[in-house]
Amino acid sequence: MATKIPERAKPTLASVAQQAGVSVPTVSKVVNGREDVSPDTRERVLAVLQQAGYQSPLQRRSSGETGTVVEVVIDVLDSAYTIQVLNGVLQSAADADVEILVSVTGPASEGRRSPERRAQRMVDEGRVGMIVVTSAFSETQLHPFRRRQIPVVVIDPLNPPSADVVSIGATNWAGGKAATEHLLELGHRRIAYIGGIEKAECNQARLHGYMAALMAHGVQVDPQYIYSGGRFRRESGVKGLKALLELDKLPTAIFAGSDTIALGILGEAARHGIRVPEDLSLIGFDGTNQGEESVPSLSSVAQPLEEMGRAALRSVLRQARGEVLDSHRVELATHLIVRDSTAPPPA
C-alpha cells in the first residue's frame, strides 16, 4: 500500500499521483477538468486531492492568495434589467474586494467561447466562478464547469437548472398574480398577457400567476388574449399589440411580461392613437428605471434586481470557499408599484 502523505507536507502533483497510484499527467488532467480520464480514476484522484488539502489555482485565488475574479455572462448589455442586476453585482464586488469580468454572449462568440473552452479558460486564468444572467444554459453546457468544480450561479434562468446549480430569481408567479389582480380591482375583465420567450421558466410563472388571478375572480381565460414567443424586448410588445388589434373585441388592459415589452406596447399604442391609460391600461414587470421615466410612467411589478445581483455574487464566493449552501434556489420577493399607466376601463 502506498505511503500516506504527511498531513503537514505541502502536497504536490507527484505526491498525489503516488497516493492515488496514477501518473502525474493523469493528476494534472483531473485538476484541469480534462475529460480523457475514466470516472473511477477521476474519483480516486479527487479523493486524494481533498485528503491532501491540494488547492488548484482556482481555489488559491478564492482564498485570497491572489486577486479574486468572477465572470458575469450576459446576453445583451442594452437592457435596464441587465444593468440593474450588474449594478448589484458590482456593488457587492466592491465591498468584497472582488474583480468582475463581464462577458457578452451572442452568435459571433458561440464558436470561440463554447462552454468547454470557457470553462478551461476560467481555470487557466484563475477565475473563481461564474454568474449567468437570463441565459439558457442547458445541463450539457453546464457540465464542463461542474466537472472542473467551478461555482456557477444563474439569475432568472430561461430553463430550469439542475438541482445542484444555484439559481437566483424572484417570486414570478406571485408577481404575475399581483399585476393581474391590480387590473381586476380597477374593473378590467378583458385583460391580455404579452410575454417573452414562451418556454422560459420566468415567463411561464408570470403567465400562470395571471391565469390564476383571472380564474380566482371568475374571469374565463381567453387564449386569444395570450401572446408569447418573442424575447423580453420591445419588439415582442410591438408584435403582441399588433396581434391583439386584429381581434374583434380588444382588451381594455395588458399585463406585459417585462418592462421592456411594456415600453414596446406603449410606443405601438401611440402610433395607433391608443391612449394609455384612458383607452388601454398597461402594467409591466421588473420595476426598472426606464418604466419610471416613461410617459406615462409605468405601473410594474418590481423585482429586487440589484439584490439579485448581490445575492448571486455572495453565493459564488461562498461556494468558492467550499461552504455548503442551505438552498440552491433563492427567490426574492416582488412588490407592486402603481404609477400612471393603469386606470379603470373606459366607460
Side-chain angles (χ1 to χ4, degrees), residues 234-300:
R234 288 176 182 256
E235 295 78 32
S236 295
V238 172
K239 293 178 180 178
L241 182 58
K242 285 181 176 178
L244 293 175
L245 291 175
E246 297 293 325
L247 302 177
D248 294 333
K249 189 173 288 188
L250 299 179
T252 61
I254 298 175
F255 167 34
S258 74
D259 283 357
T260 305
I261 291 174
L263 294 175
I265 296 170
L266 191 61
E268 187 65 15
R271 283 188 283 274
H272 288 272
I274 300 171
R275 300 169 301 166
V276 175
E278 293 84 356
D279 304 320
L280 176 72
S281 281
L282 177 63
I283 186 169
F285 199 106
D286 287 335
T288 59
N289 298 332
Q290 282 184 327
E292 185 178 1
E293 296 166 357
S294 67
V295 180
S297 59
L298 184 66
S299 294
S300 183

Side-chain angles (χ1 to χ4, degrees), residues 160-180:
S162 59
D164 61 340
V165 175
V166 176
S167 62
I168 309 288
T171 51
N172 290 296
W173 184 90
K177 187 170 183 286
T180 310

Side-chain angles (χ1 to χ4, degrees), residues 40 71 74 83 89 132-133 193 205-206 224 252 262 273 305 311 335:
D40 290 342
E71 184 168 352
I74 58 178
I83 291 171
V89 174
V132 182
V133 184
Y193 174 76
R206 293 165 197 175
Q224 292 186 106
T252 61
L305 299 175
H335 66 278

Side-chain angles (χ1 to χ4, degrees), residues 33-311:
R34 291 270 297 275
E35 289 188 321
D36 50 342
V37 179
S38 70
D40 290 342
T41 300
R42 183 186 306 279
E43 185 176 347
R44 189 165 71 252
V45 171
L46 287 174
V48 175
L49 286 169
Q50 184 176 8
Q51 178 188 15
Y54 177 83
Q55 287 189 317
S56 68
L58 176 74
Q59 293 168 313
R60 289 197 294 274
R61 283 170 169 79
S62 70
S63 62
E65 292 184 22
T66 58
T68 303
V69 182
V70 173
E71 184 168 352
V72 179
V73 179
I74 58 178
D75 285 335
V76 292
L77 194 53
D78 63 350
S79 73
Y81 168 96
T82 301
I83 291 171
Q84 287 183 233
V85 169
L86 186 56
N87 280 341
V89 174
L90 294 173
Q91 290 166 11
S92 186
D95 294 338
D97 194 24
V98 171
E99 296 179 29
I100 299 299
L101 175 69
V102 179
S103 178
V104 180
T105 61
S109 65
E110 289 177 357
R112 299 192 310 272
R113 296 182 181 177
S114 66
E116 188 69 39
R117 291 185 179 182
R118 185 185 295 276
Q120 186 58 48
R121 186 193 62 197
M122 289 185 67
V123 171
D124 294 341
E125 298 182 7
R127 296 170 196 164
V128 303
M130 181 173 70
I131 298 172
V132 182
V133 184
T134 61
S135 293
F137 266 56
S138 66
E139 179 66 21
T140 300
Q141 291 172 309
L142 288 172
H143 180 65
F145 302 94
R146 182 182 294 106
R147 194 174 68 250
R148 292 168 173 84
Q149 299 181 316
I150 299 173
V152 176
V153 174
V154 294
I155 297 178
D156 260 353
L158 299 183
N159 53 316
S162 59
D164 61 340
V165 175
V166 176
S167 62
I168 309 288
T171 51
N172 290 296
W173 184 90
K177 187 170 183 286
T180 310
E181 285 178 339
H182 169 61
L183 297 173
L184 289 163
E185 289 168 0
L186 288 172
H188 295 276
R189 292 299 179 267
R190 300 200 307 273
I191 303 172
Y193 174 76
I194 298 179
I197 300 173
E198 184 174 8
K199 294 183 179 179
E201 187 177 26
C202 57
N203 183 74
Q204 285 293 311
R206 293 165 197 175
L207 172 60
H208 291 160
Y210 153 87
M211 296 170 68
L214 292 179
M215 291 186 288
H217 283 74
V219 178
Q220 184 175 358
V221 177
D222 189 342
Q224 292 186 106
Y225 286 163
I226 297 175
Y227 178 91
S228 293
R231 298 177 65 82
F232 290 97
R233 302 182 69 80
R234 288 176 182 256
E235 295 78 32
S236 295
V238 172
K239 293 178 180 178
L241 182 58
K242 285 181 176 178
L244 293 175
L245 291 175
E246 297 293 325
L247 302 177
D248 294 333
K249 189 173 288 188
L250 299 179
T252 61
I254 298 175
F255 167 34
S258 74
D259 283 357
T260 305
I261 291 174
L263 294 175
I265 296 170
L266 191 61
E268 187 65 15
R271 283 188 283 274
H272 288 272
I274 300 171
R275 300 169 301 166
V276 175
E278 293 84 356
D279 304 320
L280 176 72
S281 281
L282 177 63
I283 186 169
F285 199 106
D286 287 335
T288 59
N289 298 332
Q290 282 184 327
E292 185 178 1
E293 296 166 357
S294 67
V295 180
S297 59
L298 184 66
S299 294
S300 183
V301 174
Q303 298 191 75
L305 299 175
E306 293 188 357
E307 177 54 31
M308 288 161 63
R310 288 191 288 267

